[in-house]
Amino acid sequence: MNVIVNGDDKILDAGTTVADLIHLLALEGKRIAVELNMEIVPRSEHTTTILRQGDNLEVVHAIGGG
Amino acid sequence: MTNSTAATGTGNPLIIDGKTYQSRLLVGTGKYKDLDETREAIAASDAEIVTVAVRRTNIGQNPDEPNLLDVISPDKYTILPNTAGCYTAKDAVRTCRLARELLGGHDLVKLEVLGDQKTLYPDITETLVAAEELIKDGFKVMVYTTDDPIIAKRLEDMGCVAVMPLGAPIGSGLGIRNPYNIRMILENATVPILVDAGVGTASDATIAMELGCDGVLMNTAIAAAQNPVMMARAMKGAVECGRDAYLAGRMPRKLYASASSPIDGTFFK
């Protein structure tokens, strides 16, 4: 299935969870936050949130800013 | 005998949303050469509240790259995520929700909704919409705004925990361009008022504090200095000096001279 992660197309297996995606992106243990179709996915729900065709994800972190 | 702790400003802390801070200097983390310089400058500033931006993670690039929050630890600093780069209330609210998730439920945010890229002036109508929604959603909002006293009061009345008028445009270094407006805002305020944006050098920060501001938030003035770490230290001193001068109460301005040495006892005619 196709999803969009940070504006880029990505092909994932059916049944992939948010936690699986974070693992695939090598972002496990990093200080990040995930938004799925404009809604926050709390960390506690990463393993239970299954992605679907056409989902739009944003994965963000903190950077320098004023 | 005067109280020596009051003289250094420590007897009169800054309180934002019930939390006490000894430092009245708030600093940003943008525009530094690297994370080492960021860490050193922030340490030299003695700031306790430090702003960060929220951006997309660079996927597939340098997975072992150190993260800003590893250098500026939330255990040591109060992290103040900003909504810099947002031009709509909707984007600002999304950014704050992501920041809260990122920081494990931390709900203090710096709201800024910008009007255009050239001036980076706040879009007040969008700022008001975003502030209302964020406050309803449980956020503690420190809001960047113009130096308009009516809007500052409205933001306070809505429930913002601090109001932060600009001294001059973001990153301009032009100093406090309208001290009379800042004074009007201060006279009406019951929440902390911090000058956010416009400071260029130490004397600008002192002027803001001498006006009676509760604090100063700056980034470029430190990061874009030739020696950011030294400027950070200068800013720490400048904010403390300005606060002390405000508390001490300056002498009135007079048009003509007033001799400092007594006339009585002179031995010449």
Side-chain angles (χ1 to χ4, degrees):
Chain A
M1 63 177 176
N2 295 282
V3 300
I4 300 169
V5 183
N6 288 1
D8 292 331
D9 291 323
K10 203 156 185 70
I11 298 169
L12 299 175
D13 294 337
T16 300
T17 64
V18 169
D20 294 335
L21 176 66
I22 290 169
H23 175 73
L24 283 170
L25 299 174
L27 292 172
E28 273 167 324
K30 304 275 185 194
R31 294 178 197 266
I32 56 163
V34 178
E35 185 191 72
L36 170 60
N37 302 329
M38 311 284 275
E39 299 287 337
I40 299 292
V41 185
R43 212 152 306 178
S44 59
E45 294 173 20
H46 284 185
T47 54
T48 53
T49 304
I50 296 166
L51 299 177
R52 301 186 195 292
Q53 168 71 27
D55 276 348
N56 197 335
L57 293 117
E58 294 291 342
V59 183
V60 303
H61 65 159
I63 65 156
Chain B
M1 170 119 185
T2 52
N3 182 335
S4 63
T5 54
T8 58
T10 51
N12 193 290
L14 170 64
I15 300 170
I16 297 174
D17 187 40
K19 196 174 168 193
T20 298
Y21 302 93
Q22 298 306 326
S23 172
R24 291 174 180 273
L25 173 58
L26 288 70
V27 295
T29 51
K31 298 183 179 171
Y32 286 100
K33 187 178 65 183
D34 52 35
L35 286 178
D36 281 340
E37 189 182 73
T38 310
R39 184 186 55 237
E40 284 174 40
I42 280 116
S45 77
D46 252 355
E48 294 166 270
I49 302 177
V50 176
T51 65
V52 304
V54 177
R55 292 291 180 270
R56 281 176 168 168
T57 305
N58 293 324
I59 286 165
Q61 294 173 15
N62 305 329
D64 296 323
E65 190 180 35
N67 186 294
L68 176 67
L69 295 181
D70 297 333
V71 173
I72 305 298
S73 167
D75 299 331
K76 188 172 173 194
Y77 295 99
T78 295
I79 304 296
L80 183 63
N82 69 26
T83 62
C86 292
Y87 289 84
T88 64
K90 188 179 152 206
D91 285 343
V93 171
R94 277 178 77 196
T95 301
C96 289
R97 289 186 176 138
L98 279 163
R100 181 165 62 184
E101 168 65 14
L102 183 65
L103 294 167
H106 173 78
D107 53 15
L108 187 71
V109 292
K110 171 183 160 179
L111 172 64
E112 54 179 301
V113 188
L114 305 173
D116 74 34
Q117 291 187 3
K118 191 169 182 182
T119 65
L120 297 180
Y121 241 61
D123 181 323
I124 295 302
T125 50
E126 289 293 305
T127 300
L128 290 166
V129 171
E132 188 168 18
E133 190 161 343
L134 288 169
I135 291 164
K136 211 186 296 169
D137 197 10
F139 285 95
K140 308 294 188 279
V141 178
M142 298 176 69
V143 60
Y144 170 64
T145 183
T146 55
D147 58 10
D148 177 339
I150 306 302
I151 294 298
K153 191 65 189 166
R154 184 166 302 170
L155 288 162
E156 177 187 328
D157 290 345
M158 286 171 72
C160 293
V161 299
V163 176
M164 307 198 291
L166 53 78
I170 294 171
S172 69
L174 290 173
I176 315 297
R177 291 296 83 206
N178 199 340
Y180 304 102
N181 271 35
I182 302 291
R183 281 204 38 196
M184 277 191 258
I185 291 171
L186 286 163
E187 280 187 17
N188 291 321
T190 57
V191 296
I193 303 296
L194 297 90
V195 160
D196 178 3
V199 165
T201 188
S203 53
D204 296 331
T206 304
I207 288 168
M209 296 308 293
E210 285 175 347
L211 287 168
C213 288
D214 297 282
V216 181
L217 197 166
M218 65 179 74
N219 186 344
T220 310
I222 297 174
Q226 297 297 309
N227 183 334
V229 177
M230 192 183 286
M231 186 59 89
R233 198 170 67 227
M235 289 300 184
K236 166 184 154 64
V239 167
E240 288 174 0
C241 287
R243 180 65 181 173
D244 281 354
Y246 169 71
L247 292 175
R250 63 154 296 149
M251 60 163 281
R253 288 180 173 84
K254 288 176 288 197
L255 185 57
Y256 290 105
S258 165
S260 298
S261 307
I263 301 297
D264 289 350
T266 51
F267 54 88
F268 40 78
K269 294 212 172 172

